[in-house]
Structure formats: C-alpha cells, structure tokens
Amino acid sequence: MKRLASLLTLVPLLLPASDSSELYRLYQNGQYIQACNTGVKELHRHQDDERFISLYAFACLEADRIDRLALPIVMLKNSPEARKNATYFTAILLQKSLLLNALEEHVPITGLNLPTSDHLLSRVFDLYSANQFVKNGDTYVFSDPKNARRSYQLFLQRTGHSLNLGITEYYDTILTKQHIYR
C-alpha cells in the first residue's frame, strides 16, 4: 500500500510532461491548430510553466488564433524570457486591434511608433501606419519593401456578428496564404 501511495504521487508529475511533449511534438510538426487546441485544453494544468504557456501562445500565433494570446500575456511574467514573449504577443495583439479600429472606424493611425517584428500582422501594421498602401475599394494593397514580388491585401471580414481582420499574401499574382484574425 505504501508503494502504491508513492506511485500515485508521481502521476501528477508525469502527466504534465506528457502534455508538454504532445504540444511540442505538434508544434514541431507544423500542426499549429492542433497544438493551439491542445494547449488551450491543458493551460489550466500548466499555469506556472512558462515554457508550456509560451509554446502554446506561439502555436496559436502560427495558427492565426491571436485572440487566444490574451491569457498567456498576463501569465508570462516571472522570467525575463517570459516577459519578452508577453511583450511580443502584446504588440501583435495591439497592432491587430489598432488595424481593426482604423479600418472599421476610419481612425487614423499614421505615424504610430510601436515595437515591430517579422510577424505578418506587424509588417502590415507598419506599412499601413506609414501610409504605404493603395486603396482598392474596401481592400488595402501593400508591396513588401524587402521583396518586390511579395504583396499583401488587408481587409475586414464580417461573419454574423463578428468582425475579423484578413490579410492575403501573394507571390507575384499567386495567392499563397490567407490569414483571418478573429
């Protein structure tokens, strides 16, 4: 009986590691939506594991589920690396919110100087706030300053009562990927 009791105390220690391993495996295999969904289900069990929280948030970012970044932002606070990740996620979430507001409410954001990154949303935000676009109806068209063959289109998408931000990526005139940020 004593041996069984000591085994039962080890079970909670082993389960989070397997959850972390599964999340890591999914992320490494490019299965970002599945990793994000796994992370959201297991987040309550890993509230103090900043590596798990960061990996979950990066998976959601890769899966264009940036609406799920808010909780990791407030949870990532104990280590310098975690705070750096929280700042990165906060900047992207803020840029999405500002773009959404600018397009829907016609609020100018020209000249805003926010932290930037290589994330697509951040690059488009920088181009939009610098007025480096051509407006084509309700769509904003951007040329990538680092690669003339790449371009982006920014637009709003309404689904029921929901208003989403969309970015379509093009290489030459070929659509390569569409992102919908909820």
Side-chain angles (χ1 to χ4, degrees):
M1 187 67 161
K2 187 176 184 181
R3 187 171 182 191
L4 182 59
S6 64
L7 271 177
L8 290 176
T9 59
L10 287 178
V11 172
L13 299 175
L14 296 175
L15 288 177
S18 64
D19 295 340
S20 294
S21 299
E22 177 66 8
L23 181 65
Y24 182 76
R25 183 189 67 72
L26 290 167
Y27 187 88
Q28 287 295 356
N29 290 331
Q31 296 174 299
Y32 304 119
I33 292 172
Q34 295 91 329
C36 181
N37 290 338
T38 297
V40 78
K41 289 176 193 169
E42 300 299 329
L43 192 59
H44 68 283
R45 294 174 49 194
H46 298 274
Q47 294 179 35
D48 297 323
D49 184 350
E50 291 184 328
R51 291 183 306 173
F52 183 92
I53 297 165
S54 290
L55 187 58
Y56 156 69
F58 277 111
C60 292
L61 188 62
E62 289 291 332
D64 293 338
R65 304 282 169 89
I66 62 175
D67 57 317
R68 292 188 178 171
L69 296 179
L71 192 53
I73 287 169
V74 298
M75 295 172 83
L76 295 170
K77 60 184 178 225
N78 294 325
S79 70
E81 185 66 30
R83 289 187 294 275
K84 187 176 176 182
N85 287 343
T87 302
Y88 175 71
F89 301 137
T90 300
I92 291 171
L93 201 55
L94 177 60
Q95 290 166 338
K96 178 225 169 196
S97 181
L98 287 168
L99 280 171
L100 195 62
N101 195 44
L103 271 58
E104 179 65 7
E105 307 300 331
H106 308 289
V107 175
I109 59 172
T110 304
L112 279 181
N113 191 10
L114 295 177
T116 191
S117 72
D118 285 337
H119 189 273
L120 175 65
L121 192 55
S122 189
R123 287 182 282 150
V124 168
F125 176 86
D126 291 344
L127 293 169
Y128 183 89
S129 65
N131 270 337
Q132 295 180 358
F133 59 82
V134 174
K135 191 165 188 227
N136 184 5
D138 291 336
T139 303
Y140 298 81
V141 181
F142 307 88
S143 295
D144 190 320
K146 295 180 182 177
N147 184 345
R149 298 179 80 179
R150 294 187 65 88
S151 63
Y152 314 105
Q153 291 185 1
L154 175 68
F155 58 93
L156 292 176
Q157 179 189 64
R158 286 174 177 74
T159 310
H161 297 299
S162 184
L163 182 63
N164 304 316
L165 190 68
I167 300 175
T168 307
E169 294 183 72
Y170 291 90
Y171 188 80
D172 289 332
T173 57
I174 301 167
L175 186 146
T176 57
K177 191 164 184 185
Q178 186 170 50
H179 307 264
I180 302 298
Y181 302 104
R182 301 178 201 305

